[in-house]
Structures are given as C-alpha cells and as structure tokens.
Amino acid sequence: MASLQKIVAYCDATLRIQEVSDWDNALNGLQIENSGKVTRIGAAVDASTHTLQLAIERKVDFLIVHHGLYWQGLQPVTGILRRQLALALQHDIALYSAHLPLDVHSKLGNNALLAAAIKLQRARPFLAEKGQLAGVKGSVEKTNGNLFAKLQKLLGDEVVAFNFGPSRPRVVGVVTGAGGSEIYRVAAEGIDTFITGEAPHWAAVAAQELGMNLWLGGHYATETFGVRALATHLAKKFRLPFEFIDCPTGL
C-alpha cells in the first residue's frame, strides 16, 4: 500500500506537469481522487468506461492514462461522463492523465521509447509543439537491418507504408499518435522516413510530393509505451503490483 498523495506528487515532478503546456482539455495530472491509498497500479492509453471496468476487475485503484476524460471540455455530469465518474468513485479508483508530458519525456516518453526500440542512432528531440520538442529524430546505420520489419514486429503487422523515399532510410523522425498532419514541418528537418501513428488523407499525397517514406503504426499502438513505462517505474519505486490494460482501437 502506498499514499496517493506521494505517488501523484512524484508523477507531477517527474513529468513536469506544471511546466509542460498542453491543450486545455488534456487536464494533465490527477483527474479523479480516490480515498488516499494505492494498492495496485494500472496503465491504459485511453480513459473510457471499458478501461475503468477492466481496472475494477483487476483491482486497480490508481489508473494512469494518456488520454483523459475531459477532451470535450466543460460539460454536464450526465450520460457517459456520469457513468465513468460513478465507476471510478464507487470502486475507489484514482485516475491520473499525462498527455504531452508523457510524449516529450526523455526517458519515459512515447517518442523516446519508440525511437530506442527501433534503435535510432544519435537520437535527439525535434518538432516544437506547445513550447516543447515533441518528436525524436535520428539516423539509421547500414548495419541496422530492415527498419520497417523491426517496426512491424514491434507494433504488429498493421503498419501502413507509403514508400516514396529512399529504400534504405537514413534520417528518421518519430512522432507518436496523430503526427501525420505535421509532415511538411517534419520534411523541413531533413527527414526521409517519418514514423507516426496516424495521418490525414492528404499526408499520403504530401509524402509522394516530398519524396518521403510515411509509415503509420497506429495511434493506439505508438502510444502504449509511455503509460506502460511510467507504471513500471512507479511499481518498482513504490513496491506495488501493476497491470497494463490493453484496449486497442484498431486505429
């Protein structure tokens, strides 16, 4: 058992919750408080009725998510939101959300972890977003083998490839989630292969015009890294069990 207050304070400091700007409705940090004690940590990409129900089944009382409950902004506590809040409150689940702070973190962030997993060399932050460098770019050595095959193995076989760039990528940019609309800014960084989660239709046309490879690994799949890493880190520090609650959307 651990103190909710101590865990939240540690998360806030580690992720720089007060320093990292984000979209207003992200509402980073503690979104729902429980009675003050934590016995099991859970991690999920999205806060939803389904993830809360799975957290209840697995006896999770501190749930970390990347996408929190309040993206629609100010709203009455009716319907779906009422149901979600009732589940959390009735079962004493604290909900902690970290969006951009968990994208940009140098060790626990989605981008840093995906870049490390595909073994990018000389990886460094790039692509300013809300005053932070949100992505990671690096180089691929000839000895790195088939980068696309590595990405498929890591994210599953559903990676969509628009191959309009070099057959052997050399400068790779990683922006997890919905980064595809930034393709022109990414290209301006000299990147020939852009790995992201999802993209609008026009980004595929842009990739051809720019002579770039655009690889879409899925918004969900590319953003499982951060919440899992944070939960693993907290479980070790506070000596608590943890569960990864896998609820893929297929997107």
Side-chain angles (χ1 to χ4, degrees):
M1 186 177 294
S3 160
L4 174 67
Q5 183 180 14
K6 288 183 179 179
I7 294 176
V8 169
Y10 181 81
C11 288
D12 286 353
T14 300
L15 298 176
R16 301 184 299 127
I17 292 295
Q18 300 304 319
E19 302 168 40
V20 178
S21 297
D22 207 329
W23 286 267
D24 291 341
N25 296 342
L27 191 59
N28 292 312
L30 187 65
Q31 293 194 343
I32 303 176
E33 183 181 51
N34 73 357
S35 60
K37 298 296 182 183
V38 175
T39 60
R40 182 178 292 269
I41 296 169
V45 174
D46 305 290
S48 69
T49 300
H50 186 47
T51 52
L52 286 167
Q53 288 170 334
L54 290 174
I56 292 164
E57 290 176 12
R58 299 176 190 186
K59 302 187 185 306
V60 165
D61 47 21
F62 182 72
L63 180 61
I64 300 162
V65 297
H66 187 50
H67 304 126
L69 288 178
Y70 303 112
W71 284 103
Q72 294 183 64
L74 188 65
Q75 57 187 297
V77 181
T78 59
I80 293 170
L81 181 60
R82 180 185 183 280
R83 180 175 68 221
Q84 293 168 335
L85 293 175
L87 283 171
L89 295 172
Q90 288 169 11
H91 295 275
D92 204 30
I93 297 173
L95 181 72
Y96 189 95
S97 180
H99 184 242
L100 198 56
L102 201 53
D103 284 324
V104 304
H105 196 275
S106 61
K107 294 182 179 179
L108 301 173
N110 288 312
N111 291 291
L113 290 168
L114 179 52
I118 60 174
K119 301 187 186 306
L120 283 192
Q121 305 295 310
R122 294 178 288 280
R124 54 206 181 276
F126 86 113
L127 197 68
E129 192 68 71
K130 297 289 182 180
Q132 304 292 323
L133 296 178
V136 173
K137 69 176 181 178
S139 58
V140 179
E141 305 296 344
K142 290 183 179 179
T143 56
N144 199 23
N146 190 327
L147 181 62
F148 186 74
K150 288 182 179 181
L151 192 66
Q152 283 185 305
K153 185 176 182 181
L154 187 65
L155 301 179
D157 293 330
E158 302 302 317
V159 180
V160 178
F162 299 92
N163 290 319
F164 300 116
S167 59
R168 185 179 291 276
R170 297 306 303 269
V171 184
V172 178
V174 175
V175 181
T176 59
S181 58
E182 303 297 340
I183 190 167
Y184 283 108
R185 287 208 292 151
V186 170
E189 297 274 351
I191 287 163
D192 59 53
T193 300
F194 180 24
I195 298 171
T196 187
E198 62 174 304
H201 167 81
W202 60 261
V205 179
Q208 186 172 23
E209 297 287 359
L210 292 164
M212 290 177 66
N213 297 317
L214 174 63
W215 295 347
L216 308 178
H219 194 135
Y220 177 88
T222 60
E223 294 196 326
T224 59
F225 297 91
V227 289
R228 191 195 293 266
L230 178 59
T232 302
H233 178 73
L234 293 175
K236 183 177 180 180
K237 179 172 180 60
F238 292 95
R239 299 181 181 180
L240 292 169
F242 90 94
E243 299 264 355
F244 177 64
I245 299 173
D246 193 18
C247 297
T249 61
L251 298 174

